[in-house]
């Protein structure tokens, strides 16, 4: 049984991410987040959430990539007000605080960001979903709902 993410330290979670989503290739992980960071407004925080952290799919509890290599997605949460402005006005769960996910099913909700998302998918060979949120919502999801996450790039002052 996989170790619970709440019992892991940051280095263990990072290693889980690299192993599960990047085939153990740390250089690919670094290239992924650097490419992502270059395509975002300055100061945007980058957070990974979901099954790459827990090694369990939310829907059915099966392990990450249980349906084959590259079948599980990467849930990328972008933190900051400037990046939220890249979403269309109607693409929010909570206006100004939390967007709907940019994904293959809804690629037009953040049209200027979607080409970057698609290039990241090609790079890592798996679906990539992006959502933008405020630090408050991210914190609330962790504390209130116990949703683990890993901060890849902290949010800067100018986000």
């Amino acid at each position: 049984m996989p170790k619970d993410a709440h019992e892991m330290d940051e280095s263990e979670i990072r290693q889980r991410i690299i192993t599960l989503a990047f085939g153990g290739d740390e250089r690919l992980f670094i290239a992924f987040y650097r490419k992502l960071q270059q395509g975002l407004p300055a100061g945007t925080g980058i957070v990974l959430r979901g099954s790459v952290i827990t090694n369990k799919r939310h829907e059915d509890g099966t392990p990450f990539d249980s349906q084959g290599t590259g079948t599980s997605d990467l849930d990328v949460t972008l933190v900051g007000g400037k990046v939220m402005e890249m979403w269309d006005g109607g693409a929010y769960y909570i206006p100004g605080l939390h967007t709907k996910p940019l994904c293959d099913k809804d690629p037009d909700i953040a049209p200027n960001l979607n080409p970057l998302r698609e290039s990241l998918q090609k790079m890592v060979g798996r679906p990539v979903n992006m959502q933008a949120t405020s630090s408050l919502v991210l914190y609330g999801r962790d504390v209130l709902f116990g949703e683990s996450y890993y901060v890849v790039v902290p949010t800067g002052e100018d986000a």
Side-chain angles (χ1 to χ4, degrees):
M1 179 149 185
K3 193 172 184 180
D4 185 274
H6 288 98
E7 299 170 357
M8 298 169 70
D9 64 31
E10 283 191 37
S11 66
E12 290 174 306
I13 292 173
R14 179 185 170 97
Q15 190 56 51
R16 176 180 276 176
I17 291 166
I18 292 168
T19 300
L20 294 177
F22 299 92
D25 187 346
E26 185 172 10
R27 291 176 300 169
L28 180 58
F29 171 65
I30 293 168
F32 174 84
Y33 78 74
R34 284 189 178 159
K35 183 173 188 164
L36 178 57
Q37 189 176 28
Q38 291 170 357
L40 299 172
T44 299
I46 301 171
V47 173
L48 291 174
R49 299 181 33 258
S51 60
V52 74
I53 305 297
T54 64
N55 194 24
K56 289 188 288 188
R57 287 173 36 105
H58 176 72
E59 296 83 12
D60 58 16
T62 59
F64 190 85
D65 273 355
S66 64
Q67 298 174 357
T69 302
T71 57
S72 289
D73 60 14
L74 287 178
D75 293 316
V76 178
T77 299
L78 307 172
V79 184
K82 287 183 182 177
V83 74
M84 275 192 268
E85 294 172 5
M86 297 180 83
W87 265 256
D88 288 342
Y92 284 80
Y93 288 127
I94 306 170
L97 292 176
H98 190 62
T99 69
K100 294 178 179 177
L102 172 64
C103 57
D104 287 340
K105 290 188 286 186
D106 214 354
D108 297 325
I109 64 173
N112 293 331
L113 196 53
N114 196 53
L116 173 61
R117 184 188 68 83
E118 289 177 339
S119 70
L120 291 167
Q121 288 184 151
K122 288 178 185 165
M123 174 188 276
V124 297
R126 67 177 61 252
V128 174
N129 302 320
M130 295 180 182
Q131 198 166 22
T133 197
S134 67
S135 296
L136 175 66
V137 172
L138 184 67
Y139 175 77
R141 291 178 77 166
D142 177 32
V143 172
L144 298 174
F145 302 112
E147 294 181 1
S148 299
Y149 62 88
Y150 177 78
V151 177
V152 179
V153 176
T155 307
E157 291 180 21
D158 52 351

